[in-house]
Amino acid sequence: MAKDPVCGMTVEPSSAAAKRVHDGRTIYFCAKGCAEAFEKDPEKYLGQRRSKRPPGAPASPSPLPDGRSLRETRPSVAAEAEVKRGKTSRAPPRERGGDQAPLFEIKGAKSAFLRKPPVKPAPDSPVMPPPPATSRVTLAIEGMHCASCVATIEGALSGVTGVTAASVNLATARAQVVGRGLNPRRLIDAVRTSGYDAKPAGEEERGQADDRAARELRLILRRTVIAAALTLPVLVVSMAHIRFPNRDIALLLLTLPVYLYAGWPFLSGMVRTLQHRTANMDTLVGLGTTAALLLSAGSTFFPRAFAATGAAHVYYEAVGVIMTLVLLGRYLETRARGRTSAAIRKLLDLTPRKARLVRNGVDEEVELSEVSVGDVLRVKPGDAVPVDGRVRSGASSVDESLVTGESVPVEKKPGDRVIGGTINQQGAIDIEATAVGSDTALAQIVRLVEQAQASKPPIQKLADRIAGVFVPAVLAIGVVSWVAWYVAGPEPRGLFATVVLASVLLIACPCALGLATPTAILVGTGRGAGSGILFRNADALERARALTILLLDKTGTVTEGKPRLTDRVVVAGTDEELLGVAASIEQGSAHPLAQALVAAAREKGIPLPSVERFESKTGRGVVGTVGGRRVAIGGARLFEEEGVDFSSVREEYERFAAEGKTPLLVAVEGGTIGLLAVADREKPTSREAVRKFRALGLKVAMVTGDRAKTARAIAKRVGIEEVFAEVLPADKAAKVRELQSRGEVVAMVGDGVNDAPALAQADVGVAIGAGADVAIEAADITLLGGDLASVAHAIALSRATLATIRQNLFFAFVYNIIGIPVAAGVLYPFTGWLLSPMIASAAMAASSVSVVTNSLRLARRRLAGS
């Protein structure tokens, strides 16, 4: 057998889908796509590079439908996110100016912004090898049932050399480990040493995990049904006080299968934890039922001896009912937890299993795994787009709502991008695949959602600290209670003390404590993903709840980000000359204002000569030489610096600015030849979005590089009162700091093109309007659609999720704080009331189910401001 170096699958050489020879070695592949990926970069998969992708980390930046990598789509945000996480130092950015100027030049997936200058070693100092890069490993954990399991595994992982942080999620059964020089085998060994099992969590493991969860659920149900069937006659005989020969032996024979078979998960878990000197919920249930069974068996076979100790009673019905109720609770809990992860399955189900591959003009149906980048695929009306791609021919409208949250279908024509998983509605289109498999935008969205669901918010820290000592504390309380009641309790003291011990062990519920936060995070992030809202992690979800003000970037956020030429005022020369020289000098720029001028010139068929000695004046305009003449185009500040008189058009300049348009003065050889006005309309939904922000109790401000009059005109139309105008891209972060100095908790909302420093400085950075071009690894919150109202939805969802977490933690804490003392018998001296172990086990099961059910309410709850 051979191993495919790309996907890691085992391949039979004789049946391999493809093979390649590299350095005299034959390498076999499970699919043609793997072979083609290998051909492009063999060293990447053979481990011959100095720096390799860490285990568990996503693959190298993948191309989105437009062929760019995710880091390339929002380079400034991604780069600043590195700064935010303390991975590099901030360097002065290079800017073009204006509201949409690109902040950095990107080459590949790295930018100059991310590179530090080399540090020379001091004289005579030894040259130290570079430290190993920080990596992340994700493990699938088996055998967890409660918060104590989580605390035990996290402690074991944290003790492994190189580990800097370990986070275990009970709801997803995943462990996220971050550190330097991590060895997955050593991490797995550490988990096994603590009494649990683990294995690497990979892409191919998702389907297996679903199958395993389904099998586990069926097995729990089978054990529950058998336990209930055998316990029912025991309960009837005991409660009705039916007497017959060898009654107790018959009850024991009915109870033993319940104890040994139905209760096997708890008994094996108890033995395993005791062997490893740990404790969890299995320990509590196992010890409680074992104590009751041994007491009952002793009374059955040695009645006189046990009568002398005051414990001549049998408790078989309690053992059976306890096992049945705990199993029923675990079944309901497991089924409910499966529903919390429905968002991931829904996203995964968007991608079809097959695609229509076009060969020689004829389409044939193939498995999706056989599709490679560059293949042409036919998508018929009603079909799901199989992969990210570019439309080659045909026209149609595509429903992208399940991915971006945008309800209006998007028109597609040749050259447009399409996202895998979206639905083609009308005409047939042929697309060229630009990203397949794990490189598609949908796959990366799934990864981000999983990453968020596996993380923990700061509010969980208290629960984690308590969980670390919870079970040992319960065991201690149980032992102390048994001793106290055996010494000073009523007759029969032995039975009374044992009943108290069993009740204490059974009513304690670390499950509710462990499920309180992760189930709410699962449902909250899943609901967000269904609406095109991606939270980077649970920390971002919690911080969004506390926001007090939103700082909105204007262009592309409040407005459409697609300016167009609206007015021309000619002072000298002709209309064509005015537009021609302006468009010529701007033709090499990616700035939206420049693109608007170029588009207008090309529509009129005006030729655009080349530009020499081009120079950008940050935030003010540009100058250069066109046809041997010096040309300047920009705002009043530029013309004042250049000493160019524009009094002839000053009135129109002011009027255009007051109307919310951007006036651009044009001068040739130091003389003003005219004025151009470019307008960027506000989005139709912006005004309603601002209203929703205010309904949530949030303040709203806008920041832009445009002139104050232009900015205020737009702000007035959408209902924004506070405006920061004429702010250079590099100064937007200073505005965020200014707001923070006033005691505000700030969210910076931008399209990520030149807002990186501000997004990093803000308490919460929100990238909006990204669609398929989303920079997955950049902002705290990424909104796939372009509707500003999605920000309100994200904040409302954050608040609702945190409220649910607080409710769950309250239920879990109050239940245990009240339940354990009552089970220990603190009310008995005053009321004569003692908690039955059967009632304790029912309450324990109910507490876990109530926490998960409360989390599931979040999926249907109406959110404020939405």
Side-chain angles (χ1 to χ4, degrees):
M1 301 295 287
K3 184 177 181 180
D4 185 328
V6 176
C7 66
M9 292 186 63
T10 303
V11 182
E12 173 65 45
S14 60
S15 60
K19 64 180 180 179
R20 299 289 187 272
V21 177
H22 181 78
D23 289 341
R25 169 187 169 196
T26 302
I27 302 173
Y28 299 92
F29 301 90
C30 67
K32 292 180 180 178
C34 289
E36 292 173 358
F38 175 82
E39 284 181 327
K40 294 177 181 177
D41 196 351
E43 288 75 14
K44 172 181 176 182
Y45 300 104
L46 295 180
Q48 295 174 358
R49 285 183 174 173
R50 183 177 178 182
S51 176
K52 296 189 297 182
R53 176 169 62 94
S60 57
S62 58
L64 285 168
D66 60 358
R68 293 179 291 165
S69 74
L70 288 173
R71 290 190 181 93
E72 289 173 324
T73 58
R74 294 290 186 269
S76 58
V77 182
E80 194 62 27
E82 299 293 312
V83 175
K84 191 172 185 178
R85 293 188 285 273
K87 295 180 181 178
T88 185
S89 59
R90 180 168 290 142
R94 290 185 291 164
E95 303 160 6
R96 182 237 182 246
D99 207 40
Q100 287 285 329
L103 195 60
F104 315 113
E105 288 187 3
I106 301 299
K107 294 182 180 180
K110 298 289 184 180
S111 75
F113 184 83
L114 296 179
R115 292 196 292 268
K116 292 183 179 180
V119 179
K120 296 181 180 180
D124 302 325
S125 64
V127 178
M128 301 297 293
T134 299
S135 59
R136 179 186 298 269
V137 175
T138 303
L139 301 177
I141 308 295
E142 296 180 9
M144 288 195 301
H145 299 298
C146 67
S148 294
C149 303
V150 171
T152 299
I153 296 171
E154 284 184 349
L157 290 171
S158 298
V160 176
T161 303
V163 173
T164 56
S167 174
V168 178
N169 190 298
L170 177 61
T172 60
R174 291 289 189 274
Q176 297 279 353
V177 187
V178 179
R180 295 181 180 275
L182 296 181
N183 184 323
R185 176 50 53 192
R186 287 166 59 190
L187 297 175
I188 291 173
D189 290 342
V191 173
R192 289 174 177 169
T193 301
S194 67
Y196 301 86
D197 199 7
K199 62 182 179 181
E203 296 288 330
E204 71 284 351
E205 196 258 343
R206 289 195 186 106
Q208 298 172 7
D210 288 342
D211 293 341
R212 185 171 62 250
R215 289 195 301 270
E216 179 186 1
L217 195 62
R218 288 194 297 269
L219 181 58
I220 294 174
L221 180 61
R222 185 185 307 124
R223 292 183 191 275
T224 304
V225 171
I226 292 174
L230 294 175
T231 298
L232 182 61
V234 176
L235 184 63
V236 171
V237 170
S238 299
M239 295 295 101
H241 302 288
I242 300 173
R243 301 287 176 179
F244 53 87
N246 297 318
R247 168 184 178 272
D248 290 351
I249 293 178
L251 296 181
L252 173 62
L253 292 176
L254 286 172
T255 303
L256 277 176
V258 178
Y259 176 77
L260 294 174
Y261 172 71
W264 177 251
F266 308 108
L267 299 179
S268 60
M270 176 189 68
V271 172
R272 186 174 64 248
T273 57
L274 293 177
Q275 285 176 339
H276 293 88
R277 296 182 179 84
T278 60
N280 61 12
M281 177 189 154
D282 292 341
T283 312
L284 301 180
V285 175
L287 288 176
T289 53
T290 299
L293 183 69
L294 292 177
L295 175 65
S296 301
S299 297
T300 299
F301 295 107
F302 309 102
R304 292 183 179 178
F306 272 73
T309 65
H313 292 267
V314 294
Y315 236 57
Y316 294 122
E317 78 282 2
V319 175
V321 170
I322 288 168
M323 287 295 189
T324 303
L325 289 175
V326 174
L327 279 168
L328 179 61
R330 181 165 289 184
Y331 170 76
L332 295 174
E333 172 195 316
T334 303
R335 190 174 69 171
R337 281 164 58 185
R339 289 169 56 195
T340 64
S341 59
I344 289 290
R345 290 195 296 273
K346 184 178 179 181
L347 285 171
L348 291 172
D349 289 343
L350 293 179
T351 305
R353 298 286 183 264
K354 295 180 180 293
R356 292 187 177 91
L357 181 63
V358 179
R359 288 174 177 161
N360 300 321
V362 179
D363 60 276
E364 60 175 297
E365 196 169 65
V366 299
E367 295 292 331
L368 194 62
S369 59
E370 298 180 33
V371 177
S372 302
V373 173
D375 284 347
V376 177
L377 308 174
R378 183 156 294 157
V379 186
K380 295 183 177 180
D383 286 353
V385 177
V387 297
D388 293 351
R390 180 198 307 267
V391 178
R392 287 273 298 267
S393 62
S396 181
S397 61
V398 176
D399 181 2
E400 299 181 346
S401 60
L402 293 176
V403 176
T404 67
E406 297 283 1
S407 58
V408 179
V410 181
E411 298 296 325
K412 301 293 182 181
K413 59 184 182 301
D416 289 344
R417 318 295 173 179
V418 289
I419 312 170
T422 56
I423 306 299
N424 183 30
Q425 290 194 322
Q426 297 176 351
I429 54 176
D430 287 355
I431 67 170
E432 178 183 345
T434 58
V436 299
S438 61
D439 288 340
T440 62
L442 182 61
Q444 296 183 66
I445 290 171
V446 169
R447 279 200 294 272
L448 185 65
V449 175
E450 288 181 328
Q451 174 184 317
Q453 292 183 341
S455 61
K456 294 182 181 181
I459 196 174
Q460 177 68 15
K461 292 179 180 178
L462 174 62
D464 287 345
R465 287 197 295 269
I466 294 175
V469 297
F470 184 85
V471 174
V474 170
L475 291 173
I477 292 171
V479 171
V480 170
S481 300
W482 188 91
V483 172
W485 287 115
Y486 188 80
V487 172
E491 296 293 345
R493 287 178 298 172
L495 175 62
F496 190 93
T498 302
V499 169
V500 169
L501 171 63
S503 296
V504 169
L505 296 180
L506 291 169
I507 201 169
C509 189
C511 286
L513 202 59
L515 291 169
T517 297
T519 53
I521 294 294
L522 276 171
V523 178
T525 54
R527 179 171 177 176
S531 302
I533 302 169
L534 304 180
F535 292 93
R536 182 174 185 81
N537 49 41
D539 187 33
L541 186 68
E542 181 170 350
R543 280 186 280 116
R545 172 188 62 91
L547 293 171
T548 60
I549 188 169
L550 299 179
L551 183 59
L552 309 179
D553 176 50
K554 180 182 73 70
T555 307
T557 302
V558 176
T559 64
E560 293 178 342
K562 298 177 181 179
R564 66 182 187 280
L565 182 64
T566 58
D567 302 274
R568 293 190 294 274
V569 178
V570 180
V571 175
T574 65
D575 185 81
E576 287 75 12
E577 182 181 6
L578 170 65
L579 182 55
V581 295
S584 296
I585 200 170
E586 294 281 19
Q587 61 185 316
S589 173
H591 193 285
L593 297 180
Q595 292 176 342
L597 298 182
V598 173
R602 286 178 176 165
E603 284 179 8
K604 290 183 171 294
I606 299 174
L608 303 180
S610 60
V611 181
E612 298 175 354
R613 293 191 289 277
F614 177 88
E615 182 181 357
S616 173
K617 304 287 188 177
T618 304
R620 304 184 298 282
V622 296
V623 295
T625 301
V626 178
R629 298 184 299 170
R630 179 178 171 80
V631 177
I633 177 170
R637 288 172 60 191
L638 174 65
F639 272 47
E640 289 168 359
E641 290 176 5
E642 294 282 319
V644 180
D645 177 29
F646 62 96
S647 57
S648 58
V649 290
R650 184 180 293 274
E651 184 179 340
E652 288 85 352
Y653 185 94
E654 299 293 342
R655 177 168 58 83
F656 291 150
E659 293 173 354
K661 300 174 182 178
T662 301
L664 298 172
L665 298 163
V666 184
V668 175
E669 293 294 341
T672 300
I673 67 167
L675 174 66
L676 302 171
V678 178
D680 181 14
R681 294 183 304 176
E682 59 270 15
K683 294 177 181 177
T685 57
S686 291
R687 184 173 183 82
E688 177 63 16
V690 172
R691 185 196 66 78
K692 290 182 177 181
F693 297 151
R694 298 196 185 284
L696 290 170
L698 296 167
K699 304 170 189 174
V700 187
M702 187 176 77
V703 62
T704 178
D706 275 355
R707 297 178 72 254
K709 288 186 178 180
T710 303
R712 290 195 184 99
I714 293 175
K716 183 178 180 180
R717 288 199 292 269
V718 299
I720 298 175
E721 296 179 357
E722 187 169 14
V723 177
F724 301 107
E726 300 183 40
V727 178
L728 300 180
D731 295 333
K732 290 182 179 180
K735 290 299 178 184
V736 175
R737 285 193 294 272
E738 179 183 324
L739 293 172
Q740 290 170 330
S741 68
R742 287 161 34 181
E744 305 284 4
V745 182
V746 184
M748 174 64 196
V749 185
D751 64 0
V753 173
N754 63 4
D755 304 318
L759 286 166
Q761 177 65 39
D763 298 285
V764 176
V766 183
I768 185 173
D773 299 330
V774 60
I776 293 291
E777 298 184 45
D780 296 310
I781 301 175
T782 301
L783 306 178
L784 300 180
D787 189 350
L788 190 59
S790 295
V791 180
H793 187 66
I795 295 170
L797 181 59
S798 167
R799 293 180 178 181
T801 302
L802 266 294
T804 301
I805 291 174
R806 288 196 298 270
Q807 293 165 5
N808 288 348
L809 289 174
F810 176 80
F811 294 154
F813 280 126
V814 169
Y815 166 83
N816 285 294
I817 290 171
I818 295 176
I820 292 174
V822 170
V826 295
L827 297 180
Y828 184 81
F830 309 104
T831 64
W833 186 71
L834 187 67
L835 188 66
S836 163
M838 289 186 291
I839 296 176
S841 61
M844 183 269 287
S847 68
S848 296
V849 174
S850 65
V851 164
V852 178
T853 303
N854 188 52
S855 295
L856 288 171
R857 288 176 54 245
L858 183 60
R860 301 180 301 275
R861 179 175 169 182
R862 179 176 175 80
L863 301 178
S866 61

